[in-house]
Amino acid sequence: MAEEQRRQIEQLMGRHSQSSSVRHYRDPDMTSPQVCKAFVVGICPHDLFVGTKSDLGKCPNLHLQKHKLEYEYKTRKLGQRFPDMEAEYFNILQRYIRDLDRTISVAQKRLEHTPEEKEKIAQVTRDLDELDIEIGLMIQELNYLIKLNQSQDEDQTLKIIDLSIQLNQKSKERELASKQARNVIENVGQTSQQKLQVCDGCGAYLSRLDNDRRLADHFVGKIHLGYVQLRRAYEEMKSKQK
C-alpha cells in the first residue's frame, strides 16, 4: 500500500519529488556560508539570551553539533587551523562588544552631574580649601608665638591661649563642613529612592539601595552572565588573533 502511494506521488510530482530529495539531502560542509561560525568555533550570541528581554531570536544560520565536534577534533587532535572561520567569529564578537561598550558609556553619561550640580560640588570644595588655608595660617602663627614667648610674658600667653581657642573652633567648623561636603557629593543628582550605578559587565543600572540578595540575583542572571561570557570569549579571540 505504501509502495503504491509512493508511485502515485512520483507520477504527480516527478521522480525528483520532495520525498526523494529529502532522502538524498546532505548537510552542508562545516565551512559553508550557511553554517554559523560563532557556534562552531565558540558561542553564538543568539544562544545566550533566549527567554530574556535581550533575546536575539533564532540564529539565521545552521547550528549542527557535528560541525562543532568536527572543528574541535581537527583543531585539538589534528592541529589544523581555520583562520577564516575564526576571523569571522572574532568579527561577530567584536560587533557585540562594541555595542555593549557603547551602551555602558551612554548609561554612565546619563548619571553624570548637571552644570548646577557640578557648581554645588565645586562650592563645597572651595569652602573646605578656604578653611584649610585659614587653619594652616593659624597653626603657623601659633607656633611662632610659642617660640617667641620664651620669657612667659603674660600678654603673649593670653594671646596664645586666645589663638588656640580660635584654632579649635575653626577645626570644628572644618569638620562640620567636611561632613556637609560628603553629604552633598553623595546625594547630588540622586534621589534617596534611586542611587544608581552602571554595571560594567552588562550595562544595566543597579541601585545601591538594593539588598545583597537582589544584587546577587543580578550577577548570576542570564543577561549579565551572557555578556560576561561574550566579553571573555572576545578577549580570548583577540589574543589569539594577535
Side-chain angles (χ1 to χ4, degrees), residues 25-39:
Y25 175 80
R26 292 182 60 185
D27 290 325
D29 185 74
M30 178 179 71
T31 58
S32 169
Q34 299 172 263
V35 174
C36 176
K37 305 306 183 298
F39 174 79

Side-chain angles (χ1 to χ4, degrees), residues 221-233:
K222 198 169 185 179
I223 294 177
H224 177 84
L225 291 179
Y227 280 116
V228 169
Q229 195 174 348
L230 273 181
R231 189 177 293 279
R232 188 181 298 125

Side-chain angles (χ1 to χ4, degrees), residues 42-221:
I43 51 175
C44 175
H46 289 265
D47 292 338
L48 293 175
F49 308 105
V50 176
T52 71
K53 63 181 180 181
S54 298
D55 195 327
L56 299 172
K58 184 177 175 58
C59 180
N61 296 317
L62 285 175
H63 286 201
L64 296 179
Q65 192 64 31
K66 72 172 189 176
H67 288 149
K68 196 174 189 69
L69 295 173
E70 179 185 353
Y71 171 81
E72 291 176 357
Y73 176 76
K74 287 183 176 179
T75 54
R76 295 181 183 179
K77 299 292 185 181
L78 304 182
Q80 295 183 19
R81 290 291 175 263
F82 298 89
D84 291 342
M85 291 177 60
E86 291 170 359
E88 185 175 341
Y89 175 45
F90 176 72
N91 289 335
I92 292 171
L93 291 174
Q94 189 174 56
R95 185 169 68 250
Y96 280 97
I97 294 303
R98 282 177 176 171
D99 288 344
L100 174 59
D101 288 341
R102 195 177 300 114
T103 298
I104 293 173
S105 177
V106 170
Q108 289 173 336
K109 285 182 179 179
R110 286 176 180 169
L111 296 183
E112 288 181 356
H113 301 310
T114 64
E116 293 79 11
E117 292 167 342
K118 289 179 179 178
E119 176 56 33
K120 191 179 292 186
I121 293 172
Q123 183 60 54
V124 296
T125 303
R126 284 195 295 269
D127 292 343
L128 283 174
D129 288 341
E130 290 174 5
L131 283 169
D132 286 338
I133 292 172
E134 288 183 49
I135 290 172
L137 291 173
M138 290 173 74
I139 290 173
Q140 287 181 9
E141 184 179 358
L142 184 61
N143 289 334
Y144 174 75
L145 289 174
I146 291 172
K147 288 180 181 179
L148 193 65
N149 191 30
Q150 299 294 330
S151 60
Q152 301 293 315
D153 180 83
E154 186 176 346
D155 288 340
Q156 287 283 51
T157 301
L158 289 174
K159 189 180 287 188
I160 290 171
I161 293 172
D162 182 58
L163 188 56
S164 297
I165 293 172
Q166 292 181 44
L167 178 59
N168 185 54
Q169 182 61 38
K170 191 64 69 175
S171 296
K172 289 181 179 179
E173 288 181 27
R174 204 276 180 200
E175 185 178 349
L176 179 61
S178 178
K179 289 181 180 179
Q180 291 174 338
R182 284 197 300 270
N183 187 57
V184 168
I185 293 171
E186 288 174 359
N187 291 282
V188 69
Q190 297 182 4
T191 66
S192 58
Q193 290 80 26
Q194 198 170 27
K195 295 183 178 181
L196 299 176
Q197 61 186 13
V198 180
C199 175
D200 58 6
C202 64
Y205 286 114
L206 300 177
S207 173
R208 297 175 189 169
L209 301 179
D210 282 343
N211 56 40
D212 292 343
R213 177 60 184 275
R214 289 194 64 179
L215 288 174
D217 287 343
H218 168 80
F219 290 116
V220 297

